[in-house]
Amino acid sequence: MIKTAADLISAGEICGKRVLVRSDLNVPMDFDGDGTISDDGRVRASLPTIQALAEAGARVVVCAHLGRPKGAPEARYSLAPVARRLEELLGQPVSFATDTVGESARSAVGGLADGQVALLENLRFNVGETSKDDAVRGAFADQLASLADVFVSDGFGVVHRKHASVYDVAQRLPHAMGGRVQAEVEVLKALTESPERPFVVVLGGAKVADKLGVIESLLKIADTLLIGGGMSYTFLAAQGYEVGKSILDTDRLDMVKGYLRAAEESGVEIVLPTDVVVATDFSADAEHAVVAVDQIPPDMEGMDIGPETSKVFAARIAGARTVFWNGPVGVFEIAAFAEGNMAVAKAVVAVTKIGALTVIGGGDSAAAVRQFGFTDDQFGHISTGGGASLEYVEGKALPGLKVLED
Ligand code: 3PG
Ligand code: MG
């Protein structure tokens, strides 16, 4: 059993302690504009754990990453805007350290009274955070650990990463799992171990290569896979269709053919698009048209599932008792190609209302539903970690969870 932050709080072990909380505050930022946060879902998702610890009298030291800077400070990846957002949402001051383990961090932490909160600058400004060298990571983890008495792991989006603030620091401090990670793991456990049937999966996203392991696992546990988005063109090509300029992974055609055969043998239904929206290029003002999948023009690329496919996907979702959606089925960022994701989102919302367990597997699919104006409570669960939830579904041992076991 992994100890939880709630256990520590109810045992009265927290008051006056410095608690290092690893959160996932990796929010999408509008870099071209003024550096504002375009979706603060992860900040909101991180609040309950931070709040509960602060209320219990802990001196809360939050640490997190933003983007993928290469081990040195880069202004555009500063967590400063996130500190301000956290402050607004918490309704209390957040003391922001302009470094991770240096002078500023020590003074921010040293200045905390019981119940107060600090946020350290982007962990990935330090090479030690993501280093493959255990000693380099360990040295950074030593410094992080020296800032606290207890560690709480609450960054679900990074539990699959063997990083200093996720893995090594847990070996240096008494540790517990935060409420966010706990909630995510409970849902994924239900999804993979005892899904109510029919269990329908919507898989999308640009690259089939990112989803190979998860397809293999899902072929063993799901009843139906609805495949859309960039990855669907490799499936269509495997069935002999010409896909024009659409994204195609020729190296993985044979593998995909194997999946189609395996699905047939095990009675798992794979539903591919029958029509698609094609465009002359990947842009908002590109000429576009709806065509049947056997009519994709050689000089055009697929951008979205077509209306007939949307109807079929929606009908399958409507009949499900469990739904897992990972990856957009079209380029939802461009209005002309957002219909497919909208149809999927509406169907998922409707089936949630009548009691199905619905899980949105993070990242882009979560951004899509929020962009459409849906609220988180219209879905069963919106994961904060796309990569982490996929690795969990694939049955991989996540290092950040493993290390929390005593
Ligand atoms: C994410 O955005 O998926 C998580 O925050 C993890 O980020 P990473 O993929 O850069 O490790
Ligand atoms: Mg990711």
Side-chain angles (χ1 to χ4, degrees):
M1 273 298 278
I2 299 175
K3 202 180 262 179
T4 67
D7 296 337
L8 297 180
I9 291 171
S10 49
E13 288 172 23
I14 281 298
C15 190
K17 295 267 173 67
R18 296 170 304 163
V19 181
L20 181 70
V21 181
R22 176 45 155 122
S23 300
D24 182 2
L25 302 176
N26 189 23
V27 289
M29 303 277 284
D30 177 14
F31 287 126
D32 305 330
D34 46 5
T36 51
I37 298 168
S38 44
D39 175 5
D40 68 0
R42 280 177 165 161
V43 185
R44 292 177 184 275
S46 303
L47 285 181
T49 297
I50 297 170
Q51 234 151 9
L53 289 165
E55 271 163 24
R59 303 172 180 205
V60 187
V61 183
V62 183
C63 64
H65 75 284
L66 182 75
R68 292 180 175 173
K70 301 267 172 281
E74 252 181 273
R76 67 193 227 122
Y77 292 123
S78 173
L79 278 171
V82 176
R84 289 193 293 275
R85 191 81 194 102
L86 186 59
E87 201 160 58
E88 280 166 29
L89 292 169
L90 275 174
Q92 75 177 84
V94 170
S95 161
F96 181 64
T98 57
D99 58 25
T100 49
V101 291
E103 191 62 33
S104 177
R106 282 193 299 272
S107 106
V109 175
L112 291 178
D114 295 357
Q116 290 186 337
V117 179
L119 172 66
L120 307 181
E121 182 56 287
N122 193 339
L123 291 161
R124 295 184 184 175
F125 285 178
N126 191 306
V127 280
E129 171 64 0
T130 60
S131 176
K132 297 254 185 294
D133 183 332
D134 291 352
V136 177
R137 261 195 350 267
F140 182 51
D142 284 340
Q143 289 177 294
L144 275 175
S146 75
L147 295 171
D149 309 300
V150 178
F151 172 62
V152 169
S153 182
D154 204 36
F156 177 71
V158 286
V159 288
H160 59 318
R161 305 271 181 238
K162 197 175 179 183
H163 289 172
S165 69
V166 179
Y167 178 78
D168 305 84
V169 91
Q171 294 171 320
R172 288 161 168 79
L173 289 173
H175 51 263
M177 168 162 70
R180 182 69 211 175
V181 170
Q182 201 182 343
E184 298 264 10
V185 170
E186 270 165 25
V187 169
L188 289 170
K189 210 167 143 64
L191 193 81
T192 51
E193 289 176 15
S194 51
E196 239 192 279
R197 300 189 178 278
F199 178 13
V200 175
V201 175
V202 186
L203 270 188
K207 295 194 215 130
V208 67
D210 294 344
K211 305 280 160 85
L212 299 174
V214 85
I215 294 171
E216 271 169 44
S217 298
L218 289 170
L219 284 174
K220 294 185 198 116
I221 52 179
D223 299 300
T224 302
L225 300 188
L226 310 173
I227 298 185
M231 62 181 290
S232 65
Y233 302 100
T234 302
F235 279 82
L236 289 169
Q239 292 199 322
Y241 294 106
E242 297 291 339
V243 297
K245 285 198 304 174
S246 308
I247 301 174
L248 174 62
D249 189 342
T250 43
D251 293 341
R252 305 233 162 49
L253 272 176
D254 284 337
M255 215 172 232
V256 165
K257 282 180 191 162
Y259 294 150
L260 289 168
R261 267 196 309 274
E264 217 172 298
E265 278 159 21
S266 58
V268 174
E269 184 190 29
I270 293 190
V271 183
L272 296 177
T274 53
D275 61 344
V276 290
V277 183
V278 291
T280 45
D281 61 277
F282 199 101
S283 73
D285 47 13
E287 261 180 64
H288 57 274
V290 175
V291 297
V293 286
D294 58 358
Q295 301 287 324
I296 300 177
D299 57 342
M300 293 180 98
E301 65 182 300
M303 302 293 276
D304 194 8
I305 54 173
E308 185 184 284
T309 306
S310 287
K311 271 198 203 128
V312 171
F313 280 19
R316 286 298 195 290
I317 293 165
R321 293 300 298 160
T322 306
V323 179
F324 177 54
W325 177 14
N326 185 284
V329 297
V331 186
F332 68 92
E333 296 88 342
I334 300 176
F337 312 121
E339 291 294 318
N341 284 298
M342 187 57 145
V344 169
K346 278 187 182 158
V348 176
V349 167
V351 81
T352 309
K353 251 194 187 155
I354 56 169
L357 168 65
T358 60
V359 179
I360 305 210
D364 293 336
S365 358
V369 302
R370 294 201 185 103
Q371 182 187 300
F372 296 148
F374 293 107
T375 54
D376 292 16
D377 57 8
Q378 290 177 283
F379 302 90
H381 177 81
I382 300 189
S383 175
T384 50
S389 56
L390 286 182
E391 292 206 8
Y392 187 98
V393 172
E394 280 176 46
K396 290 192 183 154
L398 311 181
L401 278 186
K402 196 98 197 61
V403 72
L404 298 179
E405 287 166 9
D406 268 325

